[in-house]
Amino acid sequence: MAGAVGGTGGSGWTWRPVARDPLLARAFHSCTELRGRFYLVGGLLARGAREPSSDTVVFDPAEGQAVRVGARGGPRRSHHDAAPVGGRWLCVVGGWDGSRRLATVSALDTERGVWEAWTAAPGSCPPAGLSSHTCTHLSDRELRVAGREGGTRTQRRYGSIYTLMLDPGARTYCYKEEGYHTVSRSGHCAALLQSPGPHPGHQLLLFGGCNSAEPEVAGHWSHGKIKEEPPVAPRLMEQLASLVSSGQGSRQGPRGLRHHSCSVVGPFAVLFGGETLTRARDTICNDLYIYDTRKSPSLWFHFPCADHGLKRVGHRTCLWNDQLYLVGGFGEDGRTASPQVCILDLFI
């Protein structure tokens, strides 16, 4: 499984397989790094499955091994999102359970190895139901949820933004709807990035999930409001900087892309794969997009790929130990889930 970008200078990229296990074969799951392990929750094991999986699988990238977690009561979910909290809990937010869209919070206590159904606190104003939304960690007590509410008949014509407050000690959560909305999006991704320009801070950007190619701001925080994390991928950041300056990528953002992956690597948002809304056939993609926020205005770079074996939809990427990992997703046929784990290799 490899994809490369040609051109003078030999700059390119590839997904290099590093592990393979049937337990990892799923799509529209969540995959969250917590204490150096990837926690895969739920998802669809095959296209057309009547209900999502309820199992939890832990992948150890250092050992290349996957094991199923024995904890009972795992949430049956797909098209959900998850976030690590306090270095201990994995909070699963919303999603499809096979019959309806939910806005509840389930948490895996990784120290005790048990799933917990957290309770809505008094005053919580939850969404009508969430699926194909995003849930971004702002702090160990605050998440930002963005996406379209409800089913196809009841959903609003705009996207809602919620602050989700968590109290791990009490095992409670509380939704608060923000006073502004976004374009109606579903199957988008979110990236918390430092703001470019003279006023430092952070902004939450939404990519895809609609016909627009431009990202949309779903929150802005002044300097010091978001805890600064030390760079975790200095080598990968350097390689991405070299790739975007190589002249191989076109200045084009993804238009009409959904169910793609997105990972933040320093000042870069790295998007891959997904399903395009711009054509009726051959809708599953294998393109790499890099959004560079080092200068204002931020710039898109598009690196296409001719290898159909790279096509993915409903997959996830995770950053760990200066490497970007690709996990799961349906392949070119849109039906078969990949059991592989791959690492993004960049050669300049």
Side-chain angles (χ1 to χ4, degrees):
M1 176 184 175
V5 181
T8 58
S11 297
W13 58 278
T14 183
W15 286 107
R16 173 169 55 89
V18 294
R20 182 185 183 94
D21 194 302
L23 289 175
L24 304 171
R26 62 193 63 225
F28 301 102
H29 54 294
S30 59
C31 181
T32 312
E33 188 273 326
L34 183 60
R35 292 183 174 180
R37 292 189 169 111
F38 298 166
Y39 285 80
L40 284 72
V41 177
L44 300 177
L45 303 185
R47 177 71 82 178
R50 292 188 176 183
E51 59 183 23
S53 170
S54 62
D55 69 357
T56 305
V57 173
V58 178
F59 175 73
D60 184 342
E63 300 294 333
Q65 300 292 325
V67 295
R68 181 179 281 116
V69 174
R72 295 182 179 180
R76 189 176 297 279
R77 296 285 188 278
S78 70
H79 300 81
H80 56 287
D81 208 355
V85 173
R88 174 177 174 178
W89 289 277
L90 177 68
C91 289
V92 172
V93 178
W96 174 255
D97 71 352
S99 61
R100 60 195 176 109
R101 293 166 176 84
L102 305 171
T104 54
V105 176
S106 297
L108 175 65
D109 185 338
T110 60
E111 290 187 358
R112 296 171 54 225
V114 296
W115 276 101
E116 303 168 339
W118 288 11
T119 306
S124 179
C125 297
L130 294 167
S131 66
S132 300
H133 56 291
T134 56
C135 180
T136 306
H137 179 276
L138 303 179
S139 74
D140 283 337
R141 288 185 171 267
E142 185 175 351
L143 310 178
R144 179 61 59 99
V145 178
R148 203 163 55 196
E149 291 183 61
T152 54
R153 295 184 180 180
T154 60
Q155 65 196 10
R156 301 175 179 178
R157 295 183 180 273
Y158 54 81
S160 302
I161 301 174
Y162 286 84
T163 295
L164 178 57
M165 303 301 297
L166 303 174
D167 186 342
R171 272 57 167 183
T172 61
Y173 62 91
C174 184
Y175 281 98
K176 173 194 169 188
E177 186 170 8
E178 296 298 316
Y180 54 95
H181 300 111
T182 67
V183 171
S184 181
R185 296 175 187 266
S186 179
H188 55 285
C189 65
L192 185 63
L193 293 155
Q194 289 194 6
S195 307
H199 304 291
H202 287 81
Q203 57 185 356
L204 181 65
L205 299 180
L206 306 182
F207 301 97
C210 64
N211 287 323
S212 173
E214 293 306 310
E216 188 173 10
V217 177
H220 188 274
W221 296 266
S222 58
H223 181 67
K225 294 294 185 181
I226 301 292
K227 182 182 177 182
E228 296 286 345
E229 299 290 343
V232 295
R235 185 182 63 86
L236 185 56
M237 284 169 52
E238 182 179 339
Q239 290 178 328
L240 289 169
S242 297
L243 182 62
V244 299
S245 63
S246 67
Q248 302 299 318
S250 61
R251 299 283 184 87
Q252 177 187 359
R255 181 175 295 278
L257 195 65
R258 66 180 179 181
H259 303 310
H260 48 291
S261 63
C262 176
S263 289
V264 173
V265 185
F268 304 104
V270 180
L271 283 66
F272 174 70
E275 180 181 36
T276 182
L277 300 169
T278 61
R279 56 181 184 259
R281 288 183 169 185
D282 191 26
T283 59
I284 299 176
C285 304
N286 53 359
D287 302 86
L288 186 72
Y289 291 93
I290 299 174
Y291 190 68
D292 183 356
T293 68
R294 290 176 297 171
K295 295 181 181 179
S296 184
S298 301
L299 297 174
W300 277 112
F301 295 89
H302 174 212
F303 300 91
C305 175
D307 185 352
H308 285 206
L310 270 176
K311 290 176 180 285
R312 287 289 182 276
V313 63
H315 54 289
R316 294 283 185 165
T317 52
C318 268
L319 184 65
W320 178 77
N321 195 30
D322 220 347
Q323 302 274 13
L324 190 62
Y325 289 77
L326 168 67
V327 184
F330 292 137
E332 181 183 7
D333 65 0
R335 295 178 175 275
T336 307
S338 172
Q340 284 187 323
V341 177
C342 300
I343 287 177
L344 180 64
D345 276 349
L346 301 174
F347 39 95
I348 310 300

